[in-house]
Amino acid sequence: MNQENKLGILYATVAYLMWGFLPIYWKWIDTIPAGEILAHRILWSFIFMVIVVLAVGKWRPFVDECKVILHDKKKLIGISLAAIVISINWLTFIWAVNHDHVIQSSLGYYINPLVSILLGMLVLKETLTRVQLFSFILAAIGVVNLTVSFGVFPWISILLAFSFASYGLLKKTVDISAMFGLTVETMIVTPLALVYLFFFSGESLAGSVMFSGTGLLLAGAGMATAVPLLLFAFGAKKIPLSMVGFLQYVAPTIMLILGVFVYKETFSTAHLISFALIWIALIIYMGAAQRRSVRHQAAS
């Protein structure tokens, strides 16, 4: 393993660790409504990304990229939809964590790769292999088991999985770097965030909250959002896709541990059966992906 691989693994691992422990951050400000936290997250993410773009001397290329997007209807629609979808994902996650649904959030990010396969088949007309189909069926059985056991559809998990998978699908239609992508996406939805903060958030924007520890945490949401994404973007370029696939389960595993052992959420036999089915599905899927990668490398 060369130095580039080691750095890539380090960056990606730190990114997933940060994402895994993110529920703790939202719990610190759970007295603030989820919509207001989202608005702050968008606003401060945009401000932070503008500072990053300026700091690395990329402002002119960023402006040029914005001009390209404005003159490319398909690109503009794609990145605008991506901005809306990731905002829905952020809002769902914040609300779920602050209403004691960390385990459901974990489940959502476990099944996300399998949902990505499904969307690839439905939207991109990709062929579903027998192994992928079997993995998806196992995961679906797990979701159905939770629904039947509790009489409630795990909508949080499904919405998180589908919104993040849709975000990834939309990003495929827009050729833009992670740095510029996040900056443009947050720029698109920042006007909506400002409207919400000024007209629907009470005193939290300019009142006492902004001059307290809670205010600092709300402002820090921008950094908490952008830093892991940038680390992941740098790391993913330096390591094989199979390694990225393996590391992506670090975050939901940490969330599951937090939900069960730190926040004492209910983890019943039904949860165990459903998670076991999904874990088996992911092991089968990852094993097949690893074998394909080895065959591809051998052939090349």
Side-chain angles (χ1 to χ4, degrees), residues 5-6 11 31 34 41 85 100 128 132 139 143 150 153 175 188 194 217 220 222 224 239 244 246-247 255 296 300:
N5 290 146
K6 291 178 180 178
Y11 289 152
T31 56
R41 185 178 190 182
V85 168
D100 302 321
L128 203 64
Q132 289 174 330
V143 172
F150 294 98
F153 185 67
D175 183 21
I188 289 170
L194 287 172
L217 288 171
I239 57 178
V244 175
F246 174 77
L247 289 173
M255 291 178 201
H296 178 74
S300 60

Side-chain angles (χ1 to χ4, degrees), residues 80-98:
S80 297
L81 288 174
I84 293 169
V85 168
I86 196 60
S87 297
I88 292 171
N89 179 270
W90 288 351
L91 177 62
T92 305
F93 184 62
I94 293 166
W95 185 92
V97 168
N98 290 351

Side-chain angles (χ1 to χ4, degrees), residues 25-77:
Y25 197 95
W26 303 134
K27 286 284 189 182
W28 285 340
I29 47 177
D30 62 2
T31 56
I32 305 295
E36 191 168 335
I37 295 174
L38 172 67
H40 278 284
R41 185 178 190 182
I42 291 169
L43 172 62
W44 294 108
S45 293
F46 174 58
I47 293 171
F48 180 78
M49 288 309 303
V50 168
I51 293 172
V52 170
V53 171
L54 288 169
V56 298
K58 296 287 186 178
W59 183 252
R60 176 49 57 186
F62 172 69
V63 172
D64 292 340
E65 184 66 48
C66 289
K67 290 178 181 177
V68 170
I69 292 172
L70 285 173
H71 289 90
D72 187 331
K73 186 176 180 180
K74 182 180 178 182
K75 209 169 187 178
L76 179 60
I77 292 173

